[in-house]
Structures are given as structure tokens and as C-alpha cells.
Amino acid sequence: MKFNKSLLLGAGLTALPTLALAQDAAPGFDEIGPYIMTTLLFCMAGFLVFFMAAGFAMLEGGLVRSKNVTMQMTKNIALFSIAAIMYWIVGFNTMYPGDFNGWFAIGGQTVLDPVGVAAADAALDYASVGSDFFFQLVFVAATASIVSGTLAERIKLWPFLIFVVVLTGFMYPISGSWQWGGGWLSEAGFSDFAGSTVVHSVGGWAALAGAIVLGPRLGKYKDGKVNPMPGSNLALATLGTFILWLGWFGFNGGSQLAMGTVGDVSDVSRIFANTNMAAAAGAVVALILTQVLYKKPDLTMILNGALAGLVSITAEPLAPTLFGALWIGAIGGVIVVFAVPFLDKLKIDDVVGAIPVHLFAGIWGTIAVVFYNGDASLGTQIQGIIAYGVFTFVASLVVWFILKAIMGIRVSEEDEINGLDMSELGMEAYPEFSKG
């Protein structure tokens, strides 16, 4: 119900009983307030997570060579746009099938609340459909961005975008429904507050499958040696990391899914503080470890250390103390420093280090839940990790192999040497520095 201010100011004494009756018949603030505040939380957190798309783009643009920067920018804006459309068409209602508690149920298009919906007609027990849809949408786009960075500098544009259609429209929503849609893992007691596994490890598993099928970049592994391929702009990569760090406050804070009480708002602030602490600890540990191991700090490791700390705390950012968030994030930083060279030994070429950050740290963060969440069990957490890993990795392998057989997924050697900017797009990010 909408109250008329002039009526309240100008009504005579005889009008007061009628107004009182109208107020009694309408939902009270104790019902409307939580709905409004939670809707606001989803909108604010949603645009923070949306800005992570810029963070991924800047991080990837800085860590690839200059001849491939335009390709990464194109992939990032295209994947977000595709994710938005696919999540509307089928993804949202597949992931959140209401009272369905099985493995999954393919849903239909998302329908928003009517324009100017009255309080009596709104679902006051939660939030507006538009805010919930938008908040969940930006998560699926982040998952696709993880894959983009790993497979940079040698994958064709259109096969990658077709994979994004499958990932964002079907794979992510199906597995997401197991936990956040009230499915079988949720019923089993699996706990993943904001998506260390549901989002980050899913992106990591899909990226790992793609890297295996695609193979490493030309010259990356030669004569038993790992040949470094420095990125084009570490300032841009650092900017991207700070943008992602900022967006993570929405990622984790918004996952409180409520802002209608003092307790909810206090919990959101607690999540912010823990999220920040984990990122800081991951960065500092990577800084110290690279100094000890390589005699000089490695900026790219420090950046990924911060991101690994963020991924690590994402599965349970509410319950830990600040010290708990510190050591959980610190272990994420350790994981990155040792996982990057480990992948190189396996000759798995991950251009931006997304697999150590999102997959390995995501697994760690999901296990770490048991230290502070008394309702979580190690067995159930491992069950969830395995379920998401098997489903996403196998499904991704199948899709990558099909794409490889039908249209090919890798550019030619000549095109890879010349750069994907010119071979795939015919334009360069930095034309003034080209040979011509």
C-alpha cells in the first residue's frame, strides 16, 4: 500500500479511524521493511559483483601478451552478455526450482514482478524477483570468466562462446540447484555460504578440462623447461585484482541473503571484515613466500595470493573470527605459490593462474568450513567437492571434445604466433606499438 503524504498532513479528526483501518489491513513495516532492505542488499551487492566482470577483464588483459589483449576484452564482455541471456531463458529457474529437491529440473524463462506491484501482492517473505535474479546472474558470469583466463592466447572465439552458452545456461544452474536450489546436497547438509565450490571450483574444473583438451601455448614447455611468457601490463592486472577485491564484498556480503534485522546487518559487516582479512593474508603470505623461494617478490603471485584468500573464505565468511579468516586466507596464498609450478610440471598451461586460485583454493575453502561451522561435517563437504568435480569436469570434457571435433577449438600455429587480436578480430589493443 502507498500512503499519501498530503492525506496524513491534512486529514481531519473524523478521517483518522478510516486511515487506521487501512493501515491495519495493509502489511505492516515489520513485513515490508525486511523485504525492502533485502531487495536493496541484492541490488547493491549485485552491482558490486557485476563490477567484478571489469576486474576479470583487466586482470586477464594485464596477464596476457599485448597481441592478445583485445581478444580477452571481447571474450569478457561477450561471456557476461551471453550469461545474462542464458540465465534468463533457462538458468535461473533451473537453479531455483522451488520445492523440487531432486537432482535438477529444467526451468523456463524468468518472469519479473509486475510494474508497481502492491505490497499485498509481493512475496514479502523474501525479496523482489528482479533483485534476486540479478544477484544470482552475476555469479554465473563470474564462473565463465574463470574459464576465459585459463584458456587465453590460443582458443578460438566462437567455440569458447558456445561453451559459455552450455556452462551458464545448463551446467552451472544444474549443479547449483543441488545446493542453493534446495537439492540433494543441501538436504545432505553440504555447506557453501557464497560459492567456494558452487561458483569457483565449478569454473576451475571447467577451465582444467579445457586446458587439457586445448593444450599449452606454443613454446611454453620446451626441452624440459618452463618458458615464462610475461603479461603485457602488470599495472592493469593489479587494477583488476583490486576491482575483484572490491566486488567480493558484494559476492560474500550479499550471500547473507537478508538485511531486515539488526542481526542481519551486523552479519553483513562481519562478512566484509572477514573477507578483507582473508584477502590481505593471502597477499602477504604470497609476498613472503616468493621472497624466500625466489629471492624476489613476484607481483603476479601476490595478486593471485589475494584472490586465493578471497576464494578460500567464500565458503564460510560469516562464522570465523578475524584470526580465523586470516589463517584460512593465508593457506590460500600458500596454495597458489606451490600450485602454479605444480601445474607447469604437469604441462597444464593456465595463463592467469585461475586453476590454483579458483579450483585448488576453492576446495580448501570448502573443507575449512568444518573448523567454524558446527553443522558441517568433513565427509559431507568432501562429498560435495567430489560431486561438483566429477559432474563439471566430465561434462566440460564432453563439451570441449565435441566442439573440437565439430569446429576445432584452437587457432592455427601461425595465428597464435601473430596473436589472436589480428587473426580472430582484425584489430589490436595497442596499434601504435605494432610492427606496421
Side-chain angles (χ1 to χ4, degrees):
M1 176 179 180
K2 294 182 179 179
F3 294 100
N4 189 308
K5 185 176 180 181
S6 62
L7 174 63
L8 292 174
L9 293 175
L13 183 62
T14 56
L16 290 177
T18 303
L19 179 60
L21 288 174
Q23 289 175 318
D24 289 340
F29 186 78
D30 58 338
E31 297 175 88
I32 298 174
Y35 174 89
I36 293 173
M37 295 305 294
T38 301
T39 296
L40 181 62
L41 173 68
F42 285 163
C43 291
M44 294 188 302
F47 64 65
L48 279 172
V49 182
F50 165 78
F51 198 42
M52 291 176 72
F56 279 113
M58 296 301 97
L59 179 66
E60 294 171 24
L63 293 181
V64 300
R65 290 167 289 181
S66 58
K67 62 184 179 180
N68 297 308
V69 172
T70 303
M71 180 64 154
Q72 290 308 111
M73 301 302 103
T74 303
K75 285 162 60 182
N76 273 276
I77 195 167
L79 71 84
F80 185 91
S81 303
I82 289 170
I85 294 170
M86 291 305 301
Y87 206 61
W88 160 63
I89 293 174
V90 66
F92 184 60
N93 284 332
T94 295
M95 192 165 173
Y96 296 96
D99 59 0
F100 183 83
N101 287 321
W103 284 78
F104 69 92
I106 298 297
Q109 292 180 8
T110 301
V111 179
L112 304 178
D113 291 318
V115 175
V117 62
D121 299 323
L124 295 180
D125 59 326
Y126 192 45
S128 71
V129 174
S131 67
D132 189 22
F133 166 71
F134 177 67
F135 180 64
Q136 300 300 335
L137 157 65
V138 290
F139 276 61
V140 65
T143 306
S145 295
I146 296 167
V147 185
S148 170
T150 294
L151 308 183
E153 301 203 305
R154 74 268 201 206
I155 193 168
K156 293 180 179 178
L157 177 63
W158 288 105
F160 170 76
L161 295 182
I162 292 172
F163 180 82
V164 169
V165 169
V166 179
L167 176 66
T168 59
F170 301 98
M171 289 167 53
Y172 172 88
I174 287 171
S175 62
S177 73
W178 299 347
Q179 173 62 16
W180 291 345
W184 68 278
L185 275 175
S186 177
E187 291 292 314
F190 179 69
S191 180
D192 189 359
F193 191 96
S196 286
T197 284
V198 176
V199 178
H200 294 282
S201 79
V202 165
W205 286 115
L208 177 62
I212 291 172
V213 176
L214 190 62
R217 288 168 289 175
L218 293 175
K220 177 65 177 178
Y221 308 112
K222 191 174 182 181
D223 300 327
K225 296 181 180 180
V226 179
N227 298 310
M229 295 181 172
S232 60
N233 192 330
L234 293 186
L236 204 62
T238 304
L239 173 63
T241 301
F242 275 119
I243 292 174
L244 289 169
W245 193 326
L246 171 66
W248 232 287
F249 295 121
F251 201 99
N252 287 354
S255 295
Q256 174 70 12
L257 303 182
M259 201 170 70
T261 67
V262 170
D264 286 329
V265 175
S266 179
D267 284 352
V268 171
S269 69
R270 182 184 177 98
I271 290 167
F272 280 14
N274 281 338
T275 297
N276 189 70
M277 181 62 77
V284 170
V285 166
L287 169 69
I288 295 171
L289 270 181
T290 52
Q291 173 69 54
V292 171
L293 295 173
Y294 307 122
K295 308 306 178 186
K296 292 182 180 179
D298 184 327
L299 175 59
T300 61
M301 287 287 196
I302 298 168
L303 300 178
N304 277 332
L307 297 177
L310 289 163
V311 172
S312 299
I313 200 64
T314 293
E316 185 48 80
L318 174 60
T321 62
L322 283 172
F323 177 73
L326 182 145
W327 74 263
I328 289 171
I331 291 178
V334 173
I335 288 171
V336 161
V337 172
F338 289 101
V340 169
F342 171 71
L343 284 180
D344 281 334
K345 289 182 179 180
L346 298 178
K347 295 185 178 180
I348 296 174
D349 187 9
D350 180 354
V351 177
V352 302
I355 294 171
V357 168
H358 299 279
L359 176 54
F360 295 169
I363 290 172
W364 153 240
T366 306
I367 293 172
V369 170
V370 302
F371 294 108
Y372 292 96
N373 186 334
D375 296 327
S377 71
L378 181 60
T380 305
Q381 294 302 100
I382 292 175
Q383 179 187 24
I385 291 167
I386 293 172
Y388 276 93
V390 171
F391 172 77
T392 306
F393 184 72
V394 172
S396 297
L397 276 180
V398 170
V399 176
W400 286 124
F401 275 122
I402 290 173
L403 290 171
K404 183 178 181 179
I406 293 176
M407 58 194 308
I409 60 175
R410 182 161 185 154
V411 300
S412 68
E413 290 190 8
E414 180 181 358
D415 288 343
E416 185 175 342
I417 292 169
N418 292 331
L420 276 61
D421 286 2
M422 290 304 298
S423 64
E424 289 281 290
L425 303 171
M427 61 179 66
E428 296 175 294
Y430 310 109
E432 66 272 24
F433 296 115
S434 64
K435 294 179 180 179

